[in-house]
Amino acid sequence: ISSFRRILELDDSQSQTIDALEQLFEYTQAWTDLLSLLEQKASQTFQPDAAFALQMKIARVAQDHLNLPERAIEALRAAIDHNPSSLDAFSALERLYTQTEQFDELQQNLMQQLDLTQDPALQIAINLKAADLAIQHFQDPHTASERLQAILALDPSHAKALATLEEIYIKQENYWDLVDSKGLTIGS
C-alpha cells in the first residue's frame, strides 16, 4: 500500500495505481482511506456515468462503513447531478433523509420521485409516504388529502388511503367530502 501511495504522490493521475489502491482498501476494509481515494478519483472524473457510479460508491462507503450520513447525502446529491433520473439515487437519499430527520428535504425528494416514475404501484407507495409525512411531521391534512386522492385516482379501493382520508375528514369535520369519499349520495 505504501508503494502505491508513493506513486500517487508523484503522479496522482495514475489510474492503474488508483484502481489497485481502491481494491486494496476494500479488501483490507480501510474505509476512511477508500473514501478519500474515491473522492480524489471523483474529482478527476468528468464522464457522467463514471462520475455517477463513483458518487454512488462514495455514498455507500460513507453510510454503510463509516456512519457518515451527511457525507453520503452529499455524494447522492452529486450522483443525482450526474443522473437526474436515477430512482436508485433518490431512494437512497430518501432513506438518509428519513434517518437524519430532514423532513423538508424528504418531502421534496418524494415529489421528485413521483415525477420520475410511471409505475402505478410505486406511485401509490410514494404517495402513501408523502401523506404519512404530511400528517406526522407537518400536521398538514390538506397535503395529505391531496396525496391520498392521488392514490385513489390510481386505485379507487385502496383501503389504507380510504381509511386515512376518512380520518382526516372526520377530524376536520368535513362531512361533505367524507360522504363523497364513500361514494354516497344524499337523496331528498
Side-chain angles (χ1 to χ4, degrees):
I1 291 178
S2 61
S3 297
F4 285 122
R5 286 187 179 173
R6 181 72 181 126
I7 292 170
L8 281 182
E9 287 173 12
L10 297 173
D11 182 2
D12 67 357
S13 66
Q14 293 290 326
S15 65
Q16 290 176 334
T17 303
I18 291 172
D19 292 343
L21 261 178
E22 183 179 341
Q23 290 175 355
L24 276 171
F25 289 154
E26 281 186 74
Y27 180 75
T28 60
Q29 299 180 353
W31 303 119
T32 303
D33 291 331
L34 178 60
L35 181 64
S36 179
L37 183 71
L38 292 171
E39 288 171 339
Q40 176 184 350
K41 194 173 178 179
S43 72
Q44 299 171 359
T45 303
F46 302 103
Q47 201 278 331
D49 291 342
F52 171 80
L54 274 169
Q55 292 297 341
M56 292 295 287
K57 188 168 187 176
I58 289 169
R60 280 191 300 279
V61 169
Q63 177 60 24
D64 297 345
H65 301 292
L66 296 172
N67 193 27
L68 298 171
E70 291 302 324
R71 181 61 192 100
I73 287 170
E74 285 177 35
L76 289 167
R77 286 179 179 158
I80 289 169
D81 287 344
H82 294 290
N83 184 354
S85 63
S86 171
L87 279 173
D88 289 338
F90 277 105
S91 294
L93 197 51
E94 174 193 335
R95 288 187 296 278
L96 285 167
Y97 285 151
T98 301
Q99 175 190 334
T100 58
E101 298 182 350
Q102 296 182 44
F103 299 121
D104 289 328
E105 291 82 356
L106 176 58
Q107 183 180 44
Q108 182 180 1
N109 175 285
L110 292 171
M111 295 304 100
Q112 290 170 315
Q113 286 186 62
L114 276 174
D115 289 341
L116 291 175
T117 185
Q118 299 301 313
D119 177 4
L122 190 53
Q123 289 174 340
I124 287 172
I126 294 168
N127 274 307
L128 271 176
K129 291 175 190 177
D132 287 343
L133 182 66
I135 292 167
Q136 294 175 10
H137 297 287
F138 294 113
Q139 291 75 45
D140 183 357
H142 177 74
T143 298
S145 295
E146 288 176 348
R147 298 294 97 221
L148 295 166
Q149 290 290 352
I151 292 168
L152 294 174
L154 295 167
D155 179 1
S157 63
H158 193 278
K160 181 170 168 94
L162 286 167
T164 306
L165 198 53
E166 182 178 325
E167 288 175 24
I168 290 170
Y169 290 154
I170 289 171
K171 283 181 185 174
Q172 292 182 320
E173 298 180 1
N174 186 346
Y175 301 113
W176 289 110
D177 284 339
L178 176 62
V179 167
D180 187 43
S181 74
K182 293 196 169 283
L184 303 174
T185 56
I186 300 177
S188 46

